[in-house]
Amino acid sequence: QSPIMESGGGSAEPGGSLKLTCTVPEITFRRGCMGWFRVRQGPLREHVGVARIRTATGETDYADSVKGRFTISQDSAKNTVFLQMTSLKPEDTDKYYCAADYGCTGSYNYYHRGTQVTVVS
């Protein structure tokens, strides 16, 4: 059993909604921040943050491209984070990786296979 359990995603039409869910062990959940990233295509394959939540305080931050459309939240009792994606656009199509950012440094330290999101008419 993977230590990161991801679910949700799939296909939606432009303007539609999807929800991603991610559950991790408690020790991972409480190490700083949880969030989702995408991988920028190219030789460096950089991790590009989409949304992040500081699990101790609930403070959130978002990439400019998703502000006002995506909402990250958490259920601390279940070590689970959610990404509600609304007003989806074709350019949101990608694989989204749920990840832990230990210490909220901006670097994602712990992630698994990711979840595919496809936005198409």
Side-chain angles (χ1 to χ4, degrees), residues 45-67:
R45 296 185 60 76
E46 299 170 83
H47 295 169
V48 179
V50 174
R52 187 178 69 167
I53 187 166
R54 188 177 292 268
T55 55
T57 64
E59 179 183 355
T60 60
D61 61 78
Y62 298 90
D64 287 343
S65 61
V66 306
K67 282 180 181 176

Side-chain angles (χ1 to χ4, degrees), residues 32-43:
C33 285
M34 291 292 303
W36 275 267
F37 69 85
R38 301 166 62 171
V39 176
R40 178 172 287 144
Q41 297 305 307

Side-chain angles (χ1 to χ4, degrees), residues 4-120:
I4 295 182
M5 297 187 66
E6 300 169 284
S7 63
S11 297
E13 294 184 348
S17 300
L18 290 170
K19 186 174 185 177
L20 307 184
T21 301
C22 176
T23 302
V24 296
E26 181 177 4
I27 191 171
T28 299
F29 187 83
R30 301 194 184 285
R31 289 190 67 172
C33 285
M34 291 292 303
W36 275 267
F37 69 85
R38 301 166 62 171
V39 176
R40 178 172 287 144
Q41 297 305 307
L44 297 180
R45 296 185 60 76
E46 299 170 83
H47 295 169
V48 179
V50 174
R52 187 178 69 167
I53 187 166
R54 188 177 292 268
T55 55
T57 64
E59 179 183 355
T60 60
D61 61 78
Y62 298 90
D64 287 343
S65 61
V66 306
K67 282 180 181 176
R69 300 189 298 119
F70 291 9
T71 302
I72 189 169
S73 59
Q74 64 182 1
D75 182 340
S76 299
K78 297 182 179 179
N79 306 320
T80 297
V81 290
F82 308 96
L83 185 66
Q84 180 67 56
M85 313 166 79
T86 64
S87 301
L88 284 164
K89 303 177 181 180
E91 52 263 43
D92 295 322
T93 295
D94 211 335
K95 182 169 282 189
Y96 288 73
Y97 294 84
C98 173
D101 173 358
Y102 299 156
C104 300
T105 64
S107 295
Y108 287 103
N109 311 102
Y110 186 61
Y111 51 94
H112 196 50
R113 295 179 178 176
T115 302
Q116 180 66 36
V117 169
T118 302
V119 184
V120 62

